[in-house]
Amino acid sequence: MEAAEAVETIQREMTSFARRARASAGRLHPELSLVSYTLLGHLEESGGCRATDLAAHYALDKSTVSRQVGALERAGLIERRQDPEDHRVQVLHLTDAGRRMLAQVTESRRTAFRERLAQWPEADLERFAEYLVRYNAWRGPAAGSDLPPPAAF
């Protein structure tokens, strides 16, 4: 397989992966998107943050984050709290229900990955993991580059 063909295959397969992930997110909670689950995970990892921090971290439009945050609040999965250092700032935190939902989703995903990868040799799993880490670590072209901005993936 030539490099150009390999890149096309990677693009097609990652798109298929993203479609499956979006579809499974909708089955878990019809009002929440895959982005919502990603935001919940970030809030858990960070211990809470501002909506603007979420937008910056994921390179999302503020209106997109606002809609997602609104859905998460209506579902009772997150809450706003005043920042103790700056009372003008609202910090988003998971609620107990949000933690439970995220734990359920995380376990469901782990189970699905274990099932899909159960027959893979350990060396293949390690190589695949290393490739994913390497792929996701790329931060795009250097500032001032003539290259277009990176795509969604």
Side-chain angles (χ1 to χ4, degrees), residues 61-141:
D61 186 77
K62 288 178 186 178
S63 65
T64 299
V65 171
S66 179
R67 282 191 304 276
Q68 299 298 326
V69 164
L72 291 169
E73 282 181 305
R74 284 189 300 281
L77 303 176
I78 65 170
E79 63 187 2
R80 294 176 191 265
R81 296 185 202 153
Q82 211 172 44
D83 186 331
E85 295 177 17
D86 184 348
H87 296 294
R88 299 169 296 170
V89 175
Q90 296 286 310
V91 179
L92 304 170
H93 292 275
L94 290 178
T95 62
D96 289 341
R99 280 186 196 78
R100 285 191 302 274
M101 168 72 81
L102 187 58
Q104 176 188 11
V105 169
T106 300
E107 187 52 38
S108 175
R109 285 182 180 164
R110 282 188 184 127
T111 299
F113 278 115
R114 279 189 214 106
E115 289 172 2
R116 276 187 178 265
L117 301 171
Q119 302 304 313
W120 286 36
E122 187 174 338
D124 286 356
L125 290 171
E126 290 172 2
R127 209 170 15 258
F128 187 47
E130 289 169 5
Y131 291 156
L132 288 172
V133 168
R134 182 173 160 194
Y135 180 83
N136 286 322
W138 189 71
R139 296 292 172 227

Side-chain angles (χ1 to χ4, degrees), residues 11-33:
Q11 183 274 325
R12 183 180 63 249
E13 294 304 316
M14 289 185 78
T15 299
S16 176
F17 175 83
R19 280 191 200 116
R20 261 194 326 278
R22 281 191 296 273
S24 69
R27 285 191 300 271
L28 290 169
H29 195 294
E31 294 178 29
L32 301 181
S33 70

